[in-house]
Amino acid sequence: SCAQSSVELSTDDLNQHSNSPLDEDDGDVELDCADDEIISAFIGVNVKPNARRRMQDLQKLFWKLHKRKVIQLISHEEVNQNCVLGFSEILVDDLGEFNSSIRNLVLKDESHCWLMNGRESIKEPTWPVYEILRQIGIKPVKGMRGPKHGDPGKRDFMYYTKYEFCRELMLKNRCRLQAGFIGRGRRNYF
């Protein structure tokens, strides 16, 4: 149920199963942020498989973009202050490349987790990325939207130069990660 509280993990527990892409030496290493036990312990709910695949896709993409210096992934010294993907902030150095990489990830859908229900494309490809990031507690920082001259439109929330992890946001939105939650209407599950 959504009323579950997140499990407190010690720093040793999180370090032992660190999901930080910054710990990896090679961008081609399989990253395993989608481990059921770690995600469930960190977030406090059982996460549906599609959401885990999306998290894994994003972790791989972010690590590649970090290696290419498109973004900087900032990790907090206290591991429990980082999101489940292993960082507390994203600083975007190349906004155009960041946005187009996210669009390509969704539209190519190589992991078969972004285009659902037989869709071949979606109107706003960055929307499902924004949604999963909000569900795991990552939000754009107010006042950090990119310049108007390259802005893909006000409905594209993957056009910010800074994103940060907020544990309270994760706790508020984590129920949406459970199987069957979306589509239940606006009933109060807290």
Side-chain angles (χ1 to χ4, degrees):
S1 101
C2 245
Q4 276 181 290
S5 64
S6 65
V7 175
E8 282 298 315
L9 296 176
S10 71
T11 302
D12 289 340
D13 292 334
L14 289 168
N15 282 334
Q16 179 183 358
H17 302 290
S18 174
N19 294 321
S20 174
L22 304 179
D23 295 337
E24 302 294 336
D25 291 331
D26 186 305
D28 295 328
V29 170
E30 280 295 312
L31 302 172
D32 191 19
C33 78
D35 180 271
D36 289 336
E37 287 182 34
I38 294 172
I39 287 179
S40 293
F42 187 88
I43 296 178
V45 296
N46 290 323
V47 177
K48 57 191 167 190
N50 196 61
R52 284 195 312 273
R53 283 194 306 274
R54 286 179 175 189
M55 287 181 215
Q56 193 171 42
D57 253 12
L58 284 174
Q59 188 180 42
K60 288 176 187 177
L61 175 65
F62 289 164
W63 176 230
K64 287 176 185 174
L65 294 176
H66 175 78
K67 294 275 282 186
R68 291 183 10 223
K69 301 196 182 313
V70 172
I71 63 173
Q72 298 172 52
L73 298 174
I74 311 297
S75 292
H76 197 279
E77 282 184 22
E78 293 183 37
V79 179
N80 61 357
Q81 296 299 311
N82 294 322
C83 74
V84 71
L85 302 183
F87 55 84
S88 60
E89 293 180 22
I90 302 171
L91 303 177
V92 181
D93 295 319
D94 185 339
L95 203 47
E97 180 64 26
F98 176 68
N99 189 275
S100 68
S101 294
I102 288 172
R103 288 174 177 276
N104 288 336
L105 174 77
V106 172
L107 293 174
K108 287 183 181 179
D109 195 20
E110 293 173 358
S111 296
H112 308 289
C113 61
W114 298 104
L115 302 175
M116 304 304 294
N117 301 322
R119 292 183 183 164
E120 293 183 16
S121 69
I122 57 177
K123 189 174 182 177
E124 186 48 69
T126 61
W127 182 255
V129 173
Y130 172 71
E131 277 294 300
I132 191 75
L133 290 176
R134 299 270 306 175
Q135 291 165 11
I136 63 173
I138 300 166
K139 63 180 184 174
V141 175
K142 288 183 181 178
M144 302 297 289
R145 187 153 181 93
K148 289 195 182 286
H149 64 77
D151 197 326
K154 66 181 181 179
R155 298 185 70 111
D156 189 327
F157 292 98
M158 300 310 300
Y159 190 70
Y160 282 75
T161 58
K162 185 175 181 180
Y163 297 81
E164 64 187 6
F165 173 65
C166 174
R167 182 172 281 301
E168 293 78 23
L169 181 66
M170 179 196 69
L171 294 174
K172 176 184 170 190
N173 291 330
R174 67 185 175 176
C175 296
R176 298 185 60 141
L177 295 167
Q178 292 178 293
F181 182 80
I182 295 176
R184 288 184 193 165
R186 296 192 177 267
R187 289 182 271 167
N188 187 359
Y189 286 89
F190 295 100

